[in-house]
Amino acid sequence: MEVRLSNHGGRQLDHVRGALDTLPKVVREVDGRTEAVVDGGFLRGTDIVKARILGADAVGIGRLECIAMAAAGREGVVRMLRILKHEITTCLGLLGVTSWDELDESYLHRALPVDPPDVLSAIPFLDLDCPYP
Ligand SMILES: Cc1cc2nc3c(=O)[nH]c(=O)nc-3n(C[C@H](O)[C@H](O)[C@H](O)COP(=O)(O)O)c2cc1C
């Protein structure tokens, strides 16, 4: 049994807070009684590191798995997981830590998005000449 935080990919609940924004409060309320799993927008290893720092025990992956599957089937999903693992290891190394336990919220800094959200935000690796701004 675990607590799952999700806005279902932002499709139906696209005007509510992001699952990650609610994570610290939920983790505080749960207070170690069960595990917390969060999903929504995890595309890079660094995203997963941020979720772990905010208290997640695990993250769920939806669209990224679909993209990997569409690109190369089963091998694509395996490659995607290997890339995520490499990105996580690199991120932890660059942060100067050797385990999750060494991380805390002092490693995070809230920043404005580099790009404003647009119609392709959900699929950032798609290289389309999109007619929308
Ligand atoms: C192909 C696909 C179908 C999905 N169908 C549903 C659904 O029927 N109901 C639902 O609540 N969430 C659905 N989701 C959302 C997932 O349960 C999950 O919350 C979401 O994909 C996580 O965010 P991410 O795709 O950014 O990783 C779907 C996601 C994908 C990729």
Side-chain angles (χ1 to χ4, degrees), residues 26-47:
V26 171
V27 168
R28 270 197 304 277
E29 293 293 326
V30 166
D31 195 24
R33 280 170 290 168
T34 186
E35 296 188 331
V37 181
V38 63
D39 75 24
F42 289 96
L43 298 173
R44 307 186 62 178
T46 46
D47 300 330

Side-chain angles (χ1 to χ4, degrees), residues 41-63:
F42 289 96
L43 298 173
R44 307 186 62 178
T46 46
D47 300 330
I48 297 170
V49 172
K50 291 172 199 170
R52 289 280 308 198
I53 290 174
L54 291 171
D57 293 290
V59 306
I61 290 167
R63 275 165 284 207

Side-chain angles (χ1 to χ4, degrees), residues 5-13 38-43 60-66 122:
L5 292 90
S6 175
N7 68 356
H8 309 267
R11 290 166 59 82
Q12 309 298 330
L13 298 170
V38 63
D39 75 24
F42 289 96
L43 298 173
I61 290 167
R63 275 165 284 207
L64 187 57
E65 188 178 328
C66 295

Side-chain angles (χ1 to χ4, degrees), residues 94-118:
L94 290 172
L95 290 174
V97 302
T98 55
S99 77
W100 295 113
D101 294 341
E102 293 174 60
L103 294 174
D104 58 42
E105 291 198 27
S106 69
Y107 285 86
L108 288 183
H109 175 73
R110 189 174 281 276
L112 292 173
V114 176
D115 288 319
D118 63 58

